[in-house]
Every structure is written in C-alpha cells, then in structure tokens.
Amino acid sequence: MSTDLVRYEVAEGIATISLNRPEVHNAQNMALLDELDAAWTRAADDPQVRVIVLRANGKHFSAGHDVARSTWDDNRDKWLVSDIYEVESRRYVGYSLKWRNIPKPSIAAVQGVCIAGGLLLAWPCDLIVAADNARFSDPVVAMGIGGVEYHAHTWEMGARLAKEVLFTGRPVNAEEALRIGMVNKVVARDELDAAARELAAQIATKHPFALRAAKRAVNQTLDIQGFTAAVQAVFDIHQLGHAHAISETGQPVLMALDGMKNQAAQQKR
C-alpha cells in the first residue's frame, strides 16, 4: 500500500512508512494522517512485520499541521469547540496514542524540522534516530494554545525544559535532544536511513513475543506513573485554549495564521 501522501514497504521483517509531501515539508493534512494511520494499522496486523520505521522524504521530517491549507482558513461564520474536539481527539491525540501502543517496536528517523504536529508523529515511536540537523519545537503558545494536543513534553524533556520550550517556542537541536534522552542516537544526515534500518534489523532478530512484552513493560510503567491519563487531561486543556481563542476572536487561535506561517517558515530555514 503506497499512496501519493504515504509510502509503505516491507522487507526483511521491517515495515518502512515514509511521509511523502516533501514539497510542503511533510506538513500534515487530514488525508495524510488518515493514510498514515492506515499504514501503521497494516504494519501492526502483518505477521511478517517485526519492526516499524517511520521516516520522511525530503529536507524535513514534518513542519507540523498544514496551517497553510488549514480548515481554519475556511471563513466559516461560527466555530464550535465540539467540532474541533471531535477532529483533534480522533486524528491528533487519538492516532498518537494508538501508534504509541501498537505492540511492535517502532523507530522514527527525524531530519530537519519536527515542529508541533511533527512531535505527534515522532514521540509515539519507541526509539528516535535523529540526523545532526534535526530540530524539535512546539511554538503553539504563540497561537494562544498551551502546546500541541499530545502532551508528552514533560515526559520527553523533564518539567523545567518543557516549560522553557513551551514558553519560548525555541527548538531543541539534535545534540540537546540526545543529552536529555529524547532521542537515542544522532548521526550525519546522509547516514540517517541506514542507521535507522540497522537498528531496526538488530531488533528484528529478537522474538516478537519478547519484544511485545518488553514494550508493554515500559509503556505500562509510564502509564502507572500517569502518562496516558496526563495526555488525555492536557488534551482538554488544549481544547480550552481553542475555546478561549474563539471567545476573543471568533477563530480557534489567537494569532493570525499568517503570523504562525511566518514563524514556522523561519524555523525551516
């Protein structure tokens, strides 16, 4: 199964899922997210697949949600929080939690920018291999929202760094991400795919039941500590941000979309 938006292939027990909107830096529209979920589901259901690698074609892993072609630009007369909640609970936090809990090991290979919604693709993966030019950021506070829908920030960065990154919108580069444990390995950009595949091949030699048990052990430990409950609770805080913006401007965000696009463009340079 390959589409214009998502490429999918299986070889030697490894399913490789590739984001394929390089012309817009793999910004995510709804069609891409639905096709991406279908690829994850196919890999999960295929008994020949032992490891899943998520990667992206082009210069950048993902510039986040496609604000250039957002449904926020449709000039509707009235916004309802219930409409936003329905879409985001399914395609944003819902898909991310689903991918996190797929019982097979997964690896994200990240190059260039991984902005806001891009984090919702990378963070659910079990391991992250980053190119030396990778930059992770969540500038959503500039839109009047307290952060993206899948709040793994505190778990991935620790509380104080998470606050700094959210308050300022600054990116975390590859070396800093390695130092704080947010990524497993940093490699040269031209070695990224090979390094991710080498790691996947090493993992694929292990028994799938044991891999499933090991993944469940770690995820279950995080859940006992409150991970999933916290993500779901903070998602409601995110929706409160949309409601507040609608009450002030009639739109789901406080910042004009043009301003958000300009900020994202600066990070992609």
Side-chain angles (χ1 to χ4, degrees):
M1 179 200 75
S2 291
T3 69
D4 290 339
L5 302 177
V6 176
R7 302 294 187 192
Y8 181 91
E9 61 180 336
V10 177
E12 299 176 339
I14 301 167
T16 301
I17 303 171
S18 300
L19 308 178
N20 192 43
R21 294 189 81 202
E23 70 282 1
V24 291
H25 308 302
N26 295 304
Q28 306 155 32
N29 58 20
M30 299 305 175
L32 182 144
L33 289 171
D34 289 344
E35 292 180 15
L36 180 58
D37 180 62
W40 273 98
T41 300
R42 180 173 181 178
D45 292 343
D46 186 348
Q48 301 303 313
V49 172
R50 295 196 173 192
V51 183
I52 301 166
V53 173
L54 176 65
R55 60 174 302 281
N57 292 329
K59 183 178 179 181
H60 297 292
F61 179 76
S62 178
H65 297 141
D66 194 348
V67 296
R69 297 163 181 81
S70 173
T71 54
W72 297 340
D73 285 336
D74 68 2
N75 297 315
R76 67 174 67 188
D77 293 330
K78 184 178 180 180
W79 280 94
L80 296 177
V81 176
S82 58
D83 293 339
I84 302 169
Y85 194 99
E86 181 177 355
V87 170
E88 295 191 349
S89 63
R90 176 190 169 195
R91 289 192 173 95
Y92 295 170
V93 71
Y95 279 170
S96 293
L97 285 171
K98 174 185 172 181
W99 302 333
R100 175 205 183 235
N101 291 315
I102 283 175
K104 298 177 181 181
S106 58
I107 301 169
V110 178
Q111 79 277 14
V113 300
C114 180
I115 301 175
L119 301 172
L120 276 65
L121 309 187
W123 277 348
C125 294
D126 299 307
L127 307 177
I128 300 176
V129 178
D132 53 12
N133 70 342
R135 302 187 303 283
F136 304 83
S137 64
D138 182 2
V140 174
V141 166
M143 301 173 74
I145 310 292
V148 289
E149 297 79 3
Y150 181 78
H151 183 88
H153 310 60
T154 303
W155 308 85
E156 296 284 353
M157 302 177 184
R160 295 200 185 280
L161 182 57
K163 289 176 184 178
E164 178 188 341
V165 167
L166 286 167
F167 294 170
T168 66
R170 76 160 178 89
V172 173
N173 66 26
E175 289 302 327
E176 183 178 12
L178 180 64
R179 187 171 69 251
I180 66 175
M182 194 170 78
V183 307
N184 299 87
K185 183 181 297 189
V186 174
V187 299
R189 171 66 185 93
D190 60 0
E191 298 173 2
L192 179 62
D193 285 330
R197 187 161 189 87
E198 180 182 1
L199 182 58
Q202 180 183 356
I203 294 169
T205 63
K206 307 299 190 297
H207 195 287
F209 183 84
L211 291 171
R212 178 174 186 155
K215 176 168 181 171
R216 180 167 171 77
V218 176
N219 281 6
Q220 192 77 354
T221 299
L222 290 172
D223 285 341
I224 290 169
Q225 294 171 350
F227 177 86
T228 297
V231 167
Q232 292 170 335
V234 177
F235 176 69
D236 288 343
I237 295 174
H238 176 95
Q239 297 305 311
L240 181 61
H242 285 311
H244 172 253
I246 291 171
S247 73
E248 288 206 2
T249 68
Q251 296 296 312
V253 294
L254 290 180
M255 179 189 231
L257 283 178
D258 286 344
M260 189 64 188
K261 295 169 191 173
N262 291 338
Q263 189 177 67
Q266 290 174 4
Q267 292 197 32
K268 287 181 281 192
R269 290 174 182 168

